[in-house]
């Protein structure tokens, strides 16, 4: 099979799974479609380095993960700093002490099985600043270790912890407003 034939069959076979994964990683369908195109362009360029030791989809997914990390790295370096004055006043005190209150821990296991809650959580994650989504997803959803996430995104571990803390605060407020306030 020639290079062109192989890549044509890969596009037909693997576009769907690659796009699904890209949408999960980027939370934006248009950006995901662009990344998948970049994956196939990279695969075409480096086709000769594919030794066939893994399945083509595994190789393409690895390229996709690198492209997604590059996307967030570029976005992380180019976006303006996130302002936290929504949470804190000029003295550094919480504007709303409600984010410190405990949720009902007995509901925790029930919530994870609740489709509506999971949809609300997904919406809250989608509303996070773009530069916070990838670290959050890698650390919490893919359960990667902090050094691995830091290395993949080329950020310090300290910066990762700050991003995760800020993400948790924003997710907490979003869930308080969009889920718990409606109970």
């Amino acid at each position: 099979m020639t290079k062109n034939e192989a890549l044509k069959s890969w596009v037909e076979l693997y576009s769907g799974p690659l796009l699904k994964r890209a949408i999960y990683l980027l939370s934006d369908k248009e950006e995901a479609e662009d990344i998948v195109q970049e994956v196939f362009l990279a695969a075409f360029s480096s086709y000769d380095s594919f030794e066939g030791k893994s399945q083509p989809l595994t190789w393409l997914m690895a390229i996709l993960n690198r492209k997604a990390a590059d996307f967030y790295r570029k976005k992380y370096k180019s976006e303006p700093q996130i302002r936290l004055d929504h949470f804190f006043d000029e003295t550094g005190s919480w504007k709303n002490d409600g984010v410190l209150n405990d949720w009902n821990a007995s509901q925790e296991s029930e919530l994870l099985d609740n489709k509506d809650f999971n949809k609300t959580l997904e919406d809250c994650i989608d509303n996070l600043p773009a530069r916070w989504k990838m670290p959050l997803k890698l650390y919490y959803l893919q359960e990667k270790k902090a050094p691995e996430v830091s290395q993949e995104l080329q950020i310090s571990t300290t910066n990762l912890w700050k991003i995760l803390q800020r993400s948790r605060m924003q997710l907490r407020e979003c869930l308080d407003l969009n889920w718990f306030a409606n109970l």
Side-chain angles (χ1 to χ4, degrees), residues 12-22 36 57 61 64:
E12 291 171 10
L13 292 170
Y14 306 126
S15 290
L18 287 169
L19 181 60
K20 183 177 179 182
R21 176 76 175 152
V36 170
L57 182 58
M61 284 291 188
L64 174 66

Side-chain angles (χ1 to χ4, degrees), residues 76 146 150-151 153-163:
Y76 182 79
S150 298
Q151 182 181 9
L153 297 177
Q154 295 180 344
I155 60 175
S156 70
T157 306
T158 303
N159 198 5
L160 172 65
W161 293 126
K162 288 179 183 178
I163 291 169

Side-chain angles (χ1 to χ4, degrees), residues 84-129:
L84 295 178
D85 50 348
H86 174 73
F87 296 106
F88 304 104
D89 64 20
E90 57 279 347
T91 67
S93 299
W94 288 94
K95 283 186 176 180
N96 176 5
D97 287 335
V99 296
L100 302 175
N101 296 336
D102 287 335
W103 289 336
N104 184 349
S106 65
Q107 294 176 332
E108 190 174 303
S109 62
E110 295 171 18
L111 288 177
L112 297 176
D113 295 328
N114 184 315
K115 285 183 180 181
D116 293 331
F117 174 80
N118 285 318
K119 173 69 173 121
T120 302
L121 177 60
E122 285 178 33
D123 292 343
C124 288
I125 290 172
D126 286 343
N127 289 329
L128 287 173

